[in-house]
Amino acid sequence: SPWKAVLLLLSPPAFSTSCALCAKDRRLRQKRAISERQLTRYFVDQRKVRVVGGQGGDGGHSFHSEPRKVFGGPDGGNGGDGGHVIFKADQQMKSLSSVLRFYQGFHGERGGSKNCYGANGAHMYVKVPVGTLVKEDGEVVADLTQHGEEYIAAHGGAGGRGNRFFLSNENRAPKFFTPGEPGQERVLHLELKTTAHAGLVGFPNAGKSSLLRAISRAKPAVAAYPFTTLNPHVGIVHYQDYEQVAVADIPGLIQGAHQNRGLGMAFLKHIERCRFLLYVLDLSVPQPWSQLQDLKYELEAYEKGLSERPCVVVGNKVDLAQSRINLALLREQVAERVIAVSALTGDNLEELLLHLRELYDTFVKTEQSQGQSPVKW
């Protein structure tokens, strides 16, 4: 009726998104700023883990009996198998800090009567970051480089046999059964190597963290003293065609880093996963080309062929007066392409992003030509 239509128009809606009291606050909460010193407690790239598989359930021991069938024979079922301990690579995990020191799979249940088998123990899944190496006695036993990849760290024990299993013509009423086997026990060493497409390599205070903040949404700590970055950071560079390039900020290296000086080999290993390198040089220091020579020497001394990967030289701090003089000298001394930028003012970042995309496209074509699937973010 027309009166009902009028009442429906005049009555307020049950839920109004325009009302300040009813509408949800959809604003994203601002992430709490974590300093680099606080971040060292959360970022862990090595962990020693003891894993034990679940114990198998014991076999059942029973004899079937019902009216008019007193001697029904043995009917004890087998016990359930113990659960495995499985490492599973998860792209959401960025550190080994949440990995505990000990894991054990769930035990299998005991076999029941009436030939009922015991339930298998549930598997224990341990989430680890992508790029985790699993070592045992110094040897690599697994390399989890893909999201969702799994590795059985400890197998569960097999369930025991019930007395029904031992029934034979010679023994029509077996009374014995077997207990469940214990699970496998191992001590494994987990080592995280950051997986990224590009790696920022340079000496302390070269401006790597500032550059990563300028080209991505990552927020590494920035300060005027050396060794500000104590942990690797990964920033994602977004392009208009929805391609994403991961850039890792490796902590600063010094001369003798391959001999474990400074931050040493603890962070040289993170460069191994990078497909191409960005050498960040400070143009304001005298003879910046000597930094490039020292960096390549440290990488080559750590792993042969590491310095020969596709690369580009990024001359940072071009906004300073002395840097413009050194830029011309740097281009005469090095054979690689030199891109002069300023992470502080944002000068010439477009050229760097375009060349970064060229390196990424070349990497994708190379991986596809070899029948491999390139790492996607």
Side-chain angles (χ1 to χ4, degrees), residues 18-340:
S18 61
C19 177
L21 298 178
C22 301
K24 288 185 177 181
D25 186 8
R26 294 183 175 87
R27 292 177 298 177
L28 296 177
R29 295 182 179 180
Q30 187 176 4
K31 291 186 177 181
R32 180 169 55 92
I34 301 178
S35 65
E36 195 72 29
R37 186 175 297 275
Q38 292 174 326
L39 191 61
T40 56
R41 298 182 302 173
Y42 303 104
F43 184 85
V44 178
D45 57 358
Q46 290 185 357
R47 183 73 82 187
K48 182 179 179 181
V49 184
R50 177 170 166 258
V51 290
V52 180
Q55 184 173 356
D58 297 337
H61 174 262
S62 63
F63 290 89
H64 184 72
S65 178
E66 59 179 295
R68 293 189 300 272
K69 195 175 182 181
V70 181
F71 302 102
D75 64 350
N78 299 337
D81 298 333
H84 306 325
V85 179
I86 303 175
F87 292 148
K88 186 174 182 178
D90 191 347
Q91 199 168 0
Q92 301 297 327
M93 302 290 293
K94 303 302 179 183
S95 171
L96 295 173
S97 58
S98 60
V99 178
L100 304 180
R101 303 285 184 177
F102 174 75
Y103 288 97
Q104 184 174 18
F106 294 93
H107 301 317
E109 294 185 2
R110 182 186 180 92
S113 59
K114 298 182 181 179
N115 296 324
C116 291
Y117 282 33
N120 296 331
H123 300 319
M124 173 69 70
Y125 285 90
V126 182
K127 292 183 179 181
V128 296
V130 176
T132 301
L133 281 177
V134 184
K135 295 183 178 181
E136 184 178 18
D137 297 331
E139 297 183 0
V140 178
V141 294
D143 189 1
L144 306 178
T145 58
Q146 300 291 335
H147 175 71
E149 191 174 356
E150 297 180 359
Y151 171 69
I152 301 179
H155 292 268
R161 302 294 186 179
N163 62 339
R164 177 71 174 81
F165 179 80
F166 299 98
L167 177 64
S168 63
N169 292 332
E170 291 77 14
N171 188 0
R172 304 303 300 173
K175 297 182 179 180
F176 49 88
F177 60 94
T178 59
E181 297 182 359
Q184 184 183 15
E185 182 175 355
R186 304 170 70 184
V187 177
L188 302 174
H189 294 265
L190 303 183
E191 182 178 328
L192 174 61
K193 293 185 178 180
T194 305
T195 302
H197 299 119
L200 298 176
V201 184
F203 281 90
N205 272 16
K208 301 182 299 297
S209 299
S210 301
L211 184 60
L212 186 65
R213 292 169 68 101
I215 63 178
S216 69
R217 295 182 180 179
K219 301 297 181 184
V222 175
Y225 52 85
F227 295 108
T228 308
T229 303
L230 300 177
N231 301 286
H233 295 267
V234 178
I236 307 301
V237 181
H238 299 268
Y239 290 91
Q240 292 183 354
D241 58 351
Y242 303 104
E243 283 287 350
Q244 298 179 353
V245 180
V247 181
D249 176 19
I250 309 299
L253 304 177
I254 62 173
Q255 293 183 358
H258 69 280
Q259 299 175 350
N260 213 19
R261 294 179 182 176
L263 296 177
M265 292 182 293
F267 298 106
L268 273 171
K269 61 186 179 183
H270 292 281
I271 307 177
E272 296 181 37
R273 301 286 190 181
C274 300
R275 273 57 177 185
F276 40 90
L277 305 177
L278 277 66
Y279 294 101
V280 182
L281 306 182
D282 186 357
L283 293 178
S284 62
V285 300
Q287 298 182 354
W289 53 88
S290 62
Q291 296 183 6
L292 180 62
Q293 298 174 358
D294 294 337
L295 290 172
K296 286 189 174 183
Y297 173 78
E298 294 299 329
L299 296 181
E300 194 67 23
Y302 174 72
E303 181 182 346
K304 188 175 181 180
L306 188 59
S307 63
E308 299 176 359
R309 295 188 180 182
C311 66
V312 62
V313 178
V314 181
N316 195 17
K317 305 181 183 180
V318 74
D319 52 302
L320 302 179
Q322 183 63 30
S323 300
R324 299 183 182 278
I325 302 175
N326 292 334
L327 176 59
L329 300 176
L330 176 63
R331 286 175 172 170
E332 295 177 358
Q333 295 291 333
V334 300
E336 293 82 4
R337 179 178 179 179
V338 179
I339 300 178

